[in-house]
Amino acid sequence: MSSPGKIKKGNVSQMSRFPDNLTFFVFENITPLVNNGDYPLKREPHDEVVVQADIYRTGHEKIGANLIYRKAGDSTWKKVAMEHINNDLWTGKFKVDHLGLYEYSLEAYTIPFTRKTTKHDRIFKVRVDPVYARFSTWYEMFPRSQGKHPDKSASWQDCIKRLPDIKDMGFDTIYLVPIHPIGKKNRKGKNNSLISLEGEPGSPYAVGNEHGGHYAVDPDIGTMEEFGQFVKACTKHGFKLALDIALNSSPDHPHVKEHPEWFFHEEDGTIKCAENPPKKYEDIYPYDFFNSKWQELWTEIRDIILFWADKGVTFFRIDNPHTKPFIFWEWIINDIKGKRPELVFLAEAFTRPKVMHRLAKLGFDMSYTYFTWRNEKWELEEYFKELTASHAREYMRGMLFPTTPDILPVILQNASPEAFTMRAFLAATLSSLWGMYNGYELCETLPYPGKEELLDSEKYQYKVRDWDAPGNIKKFIKALNHLRNNYPAFQEYDNLVFHHCENNQIMAYSKVDKRSGCKMLCIVNLDVKNTQSGWIDLDVGSLDLQHTQEYLVKDALNDGETFKWQGGHNFVILDPAKSPGHIFQIIDRR
């Protein structure tokens, strides 16, 4: 009888030989994977990738297993022996040191070695992003609002003058809203009025006029050369630069005249304006990403991003990515990161959860989150466990902004400074990524009636501020960012652990950096009007403490006062008029 081959319909006589991929081994339950390995894991340089899998075969032979890996494009695989844990579970790890893609897989063999090693039939990927994709602190700047004249735009020189103040508050990234020429047709007026008055600047999201489109800067702010001076000043102060990319055009954009086929059209042939229900944008035309010449449009958008990268932009905040095709994002991010792996993409995706997660899997490094609308302790804890402790941590990094130019949540409407400090406390400590919209430090709190928006939004008008106005919380913001910059535990994303407190107005959580030994405990009063107190029950195991052990907690946020605690059961009292909470450094005296 000849060697068996592929069995057909149970007739062994049809088997002529062993199949080429014959294997005695089974590889199952491989973790971590994103969508069963369809998309890469995300890591940063010097991280370890820890892989576990069930690996077994029939019979009683002893087996061994290797984790194999390489930088994508390398011809040689490196091997790391996997450790047998129990019940056919194996684990191994490797370190990633360079930006870009890594590949890994598994192999197994019988001991003593009698046949060739059996490799898993799939290769999985890890994408290594810059550390600042995991840890950065953004200040959102409206360039035209950085000056002193209420009836005209600020200049790039005015923006440069603001940089020392922003640096002093501890931010490391300047995030610019769109800086391009603004359309004139259907230009929006004050408070989103459908009719603009003479001299009103319009929304910067309506990109393009006779001075150019996405490759140009608004001449009201200055020239491209002056923008270059701003970039140099940012570099001098240690800032990275983020730019908002709005993938749409005003009716005056050069694209409308030169490439009308790139847009959606009404039945009468006119171009459709943009909608993001329930909002409608009469001053904006959206692109049709599946038009007859879609390849030209996709390439143009890719080239726009690379153009600004060459001008010194590192981060690209993408406006409304959930209204563009998934396949477009998968192509453009992979294409750009293949050329420039140091670039980072933030998804401004206030949309359905599964859409947000899909965009992250496709390649966005960061994503806006629902933090802005999470207020109660139970919903904050539930949501951040989903973001940082579930499988989502393998591919999604949540960026926290308490407000945006579009959003003033109810909790901050007509609110006291205590509400602003409490929300900043949460944003700066729950995630390693947080940002603040300019004016937040002044506790701007007046809403447009009936909406979650600021009254007299600078999206539609010039605005002048006194950046040192009485009642500002700049000193508090500086203290928060100082802690983030000097305590490594706050620079990790997926190390958040919640602890129990009997009082539902007090939330307790910790972050521990195992490499440095830094242990930080945050206790915050969610009630901005009243003093709250209660007993904290710490998960001492997560803090590497003993139940009966004495240790010190030093209040690193406030006055540096040090308390002696023992075990996990301790009492706190929090007065919002003094501080929204404690940020304790845990000092283990063993």
Side-chain angles (χ1 to χ4, degrees):
M1 183 177 176
S2 60
S3 299
K6 184 177 181 181
I7 300 175
K8 295 183 178 180
K9 298 181 181 179
N11 188 349
V12 74
S13 66
Q14 297 178 11
M15 297 169 59
S16 58
R17 60 183 180 81
F18 286 113
D20 294 336
N21 63 345
L22 178 68
T23 176
F24 294 97
F25 291 93
V26 175
F27 304 87
E28 289 183 329
N29 300 319
I30 302 169
T31 60
L33 294 176
V34 179
N35 277 38
N36 198 35
D38 292 340
Y39 301 107
L41 304 173
K42 291 180 183 175
R43 296 292 187 273
E44 297 84 43
H46 313 303
D47 279 352
E48 288 185 330
V49 181
V50 180
V51 179
Q52 290 191 332
D54 291 332
I55 304 174
Y56 57 92
R57 57 157 292 175
T58 55
H60 300 289
E61 291 85 354
K62 187 177 180 181
I63 71 171
N66 293 320
L67 178 60
I68 61 175
Y69 70 98
R70 66 184 179 186
K71 184 81 163 57
D74 289 353
S75 58
T76 303
W77 291 89
K78 298 179 181 179
K79 294 186 179 183
V80 176
M82 301 185 75
E83 178 185 357
H84 180 239
I85 304 301
N86 57 53
N87 195 26
D88 297 320
L89 177 64
W90 294 75
T91 186
K93 60 186 178 182
F94 65 95
K95 182 182 275 191
V96 291
D97 291 320
H98 306 286
L99 299 183
L101 284 175
Y102 279 73
E103 298 174 327
Y104 70 94
S105 191
L106 305 170
E107 63 180 22
Y109 52 91
T110 303
I111 301 173
F113 192 83
T114 57
R115 298 180 185 274
K116 67 178 182 179
T117 300
T118 300
K119 290 184 171 63
H120 188 16
D121 59 4
R122 287 196 65 183
I123 295 174
F124 306 108
K125 289 182 169 57
V126 180
R127 199 186 76 199
V128 184
D129 297 315
V131 172
Y132 48 77
R134 183 194 71 230
F135 173 67
S136 51
T137 308
W138 292 28
Y139 186 88
E140 181 174 3
M141 175 186 282
F142 243 87
R144 71 187 186 198
S145 299
Q146 308 306 310
K148 298 181 179 180
H149 301 284
D151 57 350
K152 70 175 184 178
S153 172
S155 68
W156 288 115
Q157 283 299 316
D158 291 321
C159 296
I160 290 172
K161 292 175 183 177
R162 290 265 4 259
L163 296 180
D165 186 39
I166 299 169
K167 187 66 178 180
D168 186 64
M169 284 188 283
F171 292 94
D172 57 36
T173 301
I174 299 294
Y175 155 37
L176 303 175
V177 300
I179 58 175
H180 316 296
I182 298 171
K184 296 178 180 178
K185 184 178 180 180
N186 298 334
R187 175 176 283 189
K188 294 294 186 72
K190 183 177 181 180
N191 286 313
N192 201 20
S193 169
L194 293 179
I195 300 175
S196 64
L197 302 177
E198 183 70 25
E200 290 188 320
S203 168
Y205 292 88
V207 177
N209 63 28
E210 71 273 16
H211 297 291
H214 287 83
Y215 292 104
V217 295
D218 187 349
D220 288 348
I221 307 173
T223 65
M224 186 67 78
E225 181 182 0
E226 290 167 332
F227 171 73
Q229 294 169 3
F230 173 76
V231 174
K232 290 180 180 178
C234 286
T235 302
K236 178 181 177 182
H237 286 283
F239 289 115
K240 289 184 171 60
L241 197 60
L243 179 63
D244 200 336
I245 299 293
L247 295 181
N248 48 57
S249 298
S250 80
D252 306 315
H253 195 295
H255 285 168
V256 176
K257 181 179 180 180
E258 297 168 4
H259 300 281
E261 70 278 5
W262 287 359
F263 299 91
F264 293 99
H265 292 77
E266 303 282 5
E267 291 184 3
D268 62 3
T270 58
I271 297 178
K272 287 184 176 182
C273 68
E275 295 185 41
N276 187 14
K279 296 180 180 180
K280 191 170 183 178
Y281 303 95
E282 294 83 359
D283 56 341
I284 290 174
Y285 290 161
Y287 293 113
D288 177 1
F289 284 81
F290 294 130
N291 73 83
S292 60
K293 296 184 178 180
W294 60 269
Q295 295 99 327
E296 294 180 4
L297 173 62
W298 291 23
T299 301
E300 171 77 350
I301 294 171
R302 189 268 316 275
D303 292 347
I304 288 169
I305 292 173
L306 290 175
F307 172 85
W308 290 105
D310 289 341
K311 295 291 184 183
V313 176
T314 299
F315 297 90
F316 292 90
R317 182 268 201 189
I318 304 298
D319 190 58
N320 285 329
H322 51 287
T323 61
K324 286 78 177 174
F326 289 135
I327 191 172
F328 166 73
W329 292 122
E330 187 170 15
W331 170 77
I332 196 170
I333 293 176
N334 284 334
D335 186 84
I336 289 175
K337 282 184 170 287
K339 300 176 176 70
R340 302 286 296 272
E342 79 280 9
L343 301 182
V344 170
F345 291 83
L346 167 62
E348 187 260 351
F350 292 122
T351 183
R352 303 183 306 281
K354 291 182 180 179
V355 176
M356 295 171 69
H357 284 259
R358 187 70 173 188
L359 289 167
K361 293 173 184 177
L362 292 173
F364 277 94
D365 302 90
M366 310 165 172
S367 176
Y368 277 17
T369 69
Y370 300 135
F371 162 74
T372 314
W373 299 277
R374 296 294 187 264
N375 300 315
E376 302 295 330
K377 182 167 89 168
W378 69 269
E379 60 183 354
L380 283 164
E381 292 184 353
E382 180 182 86
Y383 186 50
F384 279 91
K385 287 176 183 176
E386 173 193 331
L387 289 179
T388 66
S390 75
H391 184 61
R393 67 184 180 181
E394 301 293 349
Y395 58 83
M396 186 173 180
R397 307 178 184 101
M399 166 69 84
L400 310 187
F401 269 80
T403 66
T404 77
D406 289 312
I407 303 167
L408 180 68
V410 173
I411 194 172
L412 294 177
Q413 294 184 7
N414 299 308
S416 65
E418 286 80 8
F420 283 79
T421 56
M422 184 270 286
R423 294 298 291 180
F425 181 110
L426 292 174
T429 58
L430 283 168
S431 176
S432 54
L433 298 164
W434 94 287
M436 189 182 80
Y437 163 48
N438 64 193
Y440 188 91
E441 66 267 47
L442 305 179
C443 302
E444 294 179 342
T445 188
L446 293 179
Y448 187 95
K451 295 183 179 181
E452 283 191 303
E453 298 177 14
L454 279 167
L455 184 66
D456 299 332
S457 168
E458 65 194 306
K459 274 188 68 176
Y460 310 103
Q461 65 186 74
Y462 298 122
K463 197 160 191 172
V464 172
R465 296 176 172 92
D466 175 2
W467 299 104
D468 294 309
N472 73 76
I473 59 170
K474 290 166 62 174
K475 182 178 178 181
F476 181 78
I477 298 297
K478 179 178 180 178
L480 285 177
N481 287 336
H482 174 81
L483 295 182
R484 287 169 52 85
N485 291 328
N486 288 278
Y487 291 89
F490 290 122
Q491 298 169 19
E492 297 294 329
Y493 178 73
D494 58 356
N495 59 344
L496 180 65
V497 174
F498 289 99
H499 303 270
H500 175 73
C501 180
E502 61 182 1
N503 185 337
N504 284 330
Q505 292 297 325
I506 296 178
M507 189 166 73
Y509 50 95
S510 62
K511 303 197 90 174
V512 174
D513 177 53
K514 294 181 179 179
R515 283 177 282 197
S516 66
C518 176
K519 304 176 187 179
M520 306 303 293
L521 174 64
C522 301
I523 305 173
V524 59
N525 180 2
L526 301 176
D527 181 353
V528 299
K529 297 180 179 179
N530 303 293
T531 297
Q532 296 287 342
S533 62
W535 287 94
I536 305 292
D537 289 300
L538 299 179
D539 176 358
V540 292
S542 69
L543 298 168
D544 192 27
L545 299 172
Q546 304 297 322
H547 284 285
T548 58
Q549 177 187 345
E550 286 190 352
Y551 53 95
L552 301 179
V553 292
K554 180 181 179 180
D555 193 340
L557 175 64
N558 299 306
D559 53 12
E561 186 175 2
T562 301
F563 305 89
K564 182 186 292 185
W565 280 14
Q566 183 174 18
H569 194 58
N570 296 278
F571 186 79
V572 295
I573 183 167
L574 298 171
D575 179 357
K578 295 179 179 179
S579 176
H582 296 297
I583 299 181
F584 286 132
Q585 179 189 13
I586 296 177
I587 303 171
D588 188 345
R589 299 193 298 177
R590 284 181 295 179

